[in-house]
Amino acid sequence: FDPRHYLGTHCFGFPKTGPHRLRFLLESVKDLRETLKKKGSTLVVRKGKPEDVVCDLITQLGSVSAVAFHEEVREVL
């Protein structure tokens, strides 16, 4: 969870993630973790800036051969 997604927007200060969306995200992550657990896997969940968290995870795991990610598309005003 990137803390920047829970701050106000740069234009009007409205929250990027309201309470209903946050509840949906938390329930979705919980469900995904439970589904993976039933299949013998797990889900790593961290809070922090992805560029820091992913680097730390790679260092901790030590045997990472690939990393896939996506970047949020931002509208230019």
Side-chain angles (χ1 to χ4, degrees):
F1 289 93
D2 186 341
R4 296 172 290 196
H5 288 264
Y6 306 95
L7 302 173
T9 60
H10 66 279
C11 293
F12 302 105
F14 294 116
K16 290 182 180 180
T17 305
H20 300 293
R21 182 175 183 194
L22 179 58
R23 183 180 305 120
F24 171 77
L25 289 171
L26 292 173
E27 289 172 357
S28 297
V29 168
K30 181 181 176 183
D31 183 64
L32 177 58
R33 177 179 270 162
E34 291 170 0
T35 300
L36 290 170
K37 189 174 181 179
K38 289 177 187 174
K39 296 181 180 288
S41 189
T42 190
L43 178 66
V44 176
V45 178
R46 296 287 186 267
K47 176 184 170 191
K49 294 180 180 178
E51 57 269 26
D52 298 331
V53 172
V54 172
C55 184
D56 291 345
L57 284 173
I58 291 170
T59 301
Q60 288 174 10
L61 295 172
S63 62
V64 176
S65 60
V67 176
F69 67 94
H70 80 278
E71 183 175 355
E72 180 180 356
V73 177
R74 297 188 177 154
E75 183 178 336
V76 177
L77 299 177

